[in-house]
Amino acid sequence: METVRQGVAQWVVGRRIASVEVRHPRAVRRHAPGDVHFADVLAGRTVLDARRRGKYLWLPLDSGDAIVGHLGMSGQLLLQPPGTTDETHLRVRFRFSDDGPELRFVDQRTFGGLSVSEGGAELPDEIAHIARDPMDPEFSDEAFVAALRRRHTEVKRALLDQTLISGVGNIYADEALWRAKLHGGRPTDALTGPAAQRLLGHVRDVLAEAISEGGTSFDALYVNVNGESGYFDRALNAYGREGEPCRRCGAPIRREAFMNRSSYSCPNCQPRPRGSLRG
């Protein structure tokens, strides 16, 4: 989502919305007043910025409101020249007064969506409960480390808790834990302060490297605003590498069930904590 935010910031910020075409009402189902109101309230508004909190993107407007977006499993925000053939799953089209590239919300499965947050330019109420991510300049390392060590849970579960830290999905959690030589089942209240701080450093490094590579695209639907896939999946050390040798010690990477998903780790570098059934 950070890669998408950067693209929107480059190509959309500062432009005035001429019109909005909602082609599928489900795409704006979170906008309670409905699709007609969604289009009407945005016409004539200027996009002032492109911001992100976790997997949510919001675009502050000159009205004091904000467009809030979540891509779900298959959503895409694409920039296309006017007149370009419509995508099969085009849901919402934004045209701008400069007659430049359109912003299109394309969503095959329609699990994502857009809405307008009234007065939400600074921070929409709908996403205020989501914690900052480690790339945010106002993220507090000290507060995170203290909160992490107060939790009575497993460290991977904590990394995926968006009320504690955002921006860390299943893939990036596994990668950070591999770098930190920690098993995801390690109790958070057993972590020392320095160990928690090192883990946070690895989380930040993984996110920075992923952003520089345009994200991680295992699915053709995960693309930036120009329709390009990311390449960080080529640099993964743990995730998706079951049975392949650990790049550090050579032991075969293991896969374990985790919250209806999978966790990948090195059995040698990341031993299961004592008393753990799953790890």
Side-chain angles (χ1 to χ4, degrees):
M1 179 58 91
E2 175 59 19
T3 303
V4 173
R5 186 205 68 77
Q6 291 177 0
V8 172
Q10 179 179 357
W11 297 103
V12 175
V13 170
R15 301 173 69 193
R16 186 169 68 88
I17 299 170
S19 64
V20 179
E21 177 187 359
V22 178
R23 297 170 60 90
H24 197 305
R26 180 170 167 76
V28 295
R29 65 191 178 282
R30 296 184 180 92
H31 186 73
D35 56 336
V36 174
H37 181 272
F38 177 86
D40 289 346
V41 78
L42 292 178
R45 302 271 59 98
T46 297
V47 179
L48 302 180
D49 200 357
R51 302 177 185 174
R52 181 181 60 82
R53 182 65 67 91
K55 295 182 179 180
Y56 284 87
L57 178 75
W58 86 92
L59 308 181
L61 305 170
D62 60 348
S63 61
D65 299 337
I67 302 171
V68 179
H70 191 290
L71 299 184
M73 295 179 64
S74 61
Q76 302 169 338
L77 282 172
L78 302 176
L79 283 158
Q80 298 284 22
T84 301
T85 301
D86 290 349
E87 294 79 5
T88 301
H89 303 289
L90 175 61
R91 306 306 187 194
V92 182
R93 184 202 319 271
F94 295 84
R95 292 186 175 93
F96 296 89
S97 58
D98 58 8
D99 295 324
E102 302 173 350
L103 181 64
R104 299 181 179 184
F105 177 59
V106 178
D107 193 354
Q108 177 178 324
R109 300 165 188 160
T110 328
F111 290 159
L114 304 174
S115 62
V116 175
S117 176
E118 184 176 350
E122 189 61 31
L123 177 63
D125 290 342
E126 299 91 329
I127 59 176
H129 65 285
I130 300 175
R132 297 182 185 275
D133 74 64
M135 309 308 290
D136 190 316
E138 296 186 36
F139 183 90
S140 171
D141 290 20
E142 295 76 15
F144 168 77
V145 168
L148 177 69
R149 298 180 66 215
R150 285 196 302 268
R151 299 289 176 101
H152 300 288
T153 187
E154 298 176 350
V155 64
K156 183 172 179 180
R157 290 178 181 270
L159 289 178
L160 299 180
D161 182 352
Q162 290 203 82
T163 65
L164 178 65
I165 184 173
S166 66
V168 186
N170 194 42
I171 297 173
Y172 300 148
D174 279 357
E175 291 301 299
L177 290 165
W178 181 87
R179 296 186 185 200
K181 298 183 179 181
L182 290 173
H183 189 277
R186 179 75 65 89
T188 51
D189 50 6
L191 289 174
T192 65
Q197 186 63 56
R198 284 194 299 272
L199 173 60
L200 176 58
H202 289 304
V203 168
R204 191 171 277 128
D205 288 344
V206 167
L207 293 178
E209 291 171 25
I211 291 169
S212 71
E213 293 292 334
T216 309
S217 302
F218 285 109
D219 189 315
L221 296 174
Y222 293 100
V223 297
N224 63 17
V225 295
N226 296 313
E228 301 164 338
S229 297
Y231 296 100
F232 189 64
D233 58 294
R234 300 177 184 179
L236 296 177
N237 291 300
Y239 189 87
R241 299 190 64 243
E242 181 183 10
E244 298 180 32
C246 171
R247 303 190 200 279
R248 194 163 41 214
C249 73
I253 295 293
R254 69 183 160 203
R255 180 178 66 85
E256 299 172 284
F258 175 79
M259 296 174 62
N260 296 319
R261 287 176 281 184
S262 295
S263 282
Y264 297 85
S265 60
C266 173
N268 184 46
C269 300
Q270 301 167 267
R272 294 189 181 102
R274 292 180 181 177
S276 172
L277 296 179
R278 175 195 61 81

